[in-house]
Amino acid sequence: MMLATTKVESLEQFLRVFSSKGLEKRKQHGCKGALVYTDPVESDRVWVLFDWSEDGFKSFVADPAVPAILHEAGHKGKPSPARLVGRYSA
């Protein structure tokens, strides 16, 4: 699992591309699923919890087809992965 955040121009546009072209490209790089959250403070920020390895994510962002998909989705910048600092059982 990994967490990433990004800012978007339009949530609706982001979700449309994320659930179509983005989904197919993520699958190619080993992503098994994702949960999308909106930020409670910044209305243009989304957080995505991926069922994905860090290596798969790195491979995805290095794919030459990805910048066009991110642009179409309305990203204001590159997605930023959060750094895992702990794991606890309960």
Side-chain angles (χ1 to χ4, degrees), residues 1 5 20-21 39 41 53 63 66-67 70 79 82 84:
M1 301 295 284
T5 187
S20 58
K21 290 180 184 177
D39 190 284
V41 177
S53 70
D63 187 310
V66 167
L70 298 180
L84 179 65

Side-chain angles (χ1 to χ4, degrees), residues 21-71:
K21 290 180 184 177
L23 178 134
E24 291 304 318
K25 185 54 73 174
R26 290 189 310 277
K27 280 184 182 179
Q28 291 175 10
H29 292 277
C31 185
K32 297 176 183 163
L35 300 171
V36 179
Y37 296 87
T38 58
D39 190 284
V41 177
E42 297 178 79
S43 62
D44 62 344
R45 181 175 296 283
V46 293
W47 292 86
V48 183
L49 182 61
F50 292 103
D51 186 356
W52 207 356
S53 70
E54 187 176 336
D55 288 340
F57 179 79
K58 287 178 181 178
S59 173
F60 171 80
V61 297
D63 187 310
V66 167
I69 295 170
L70 298 180
H71 178 74

Side-chain angles (χ1 to χ4, degrees), residues 3 61 85:
L3 179 66
V61 297
V85 296

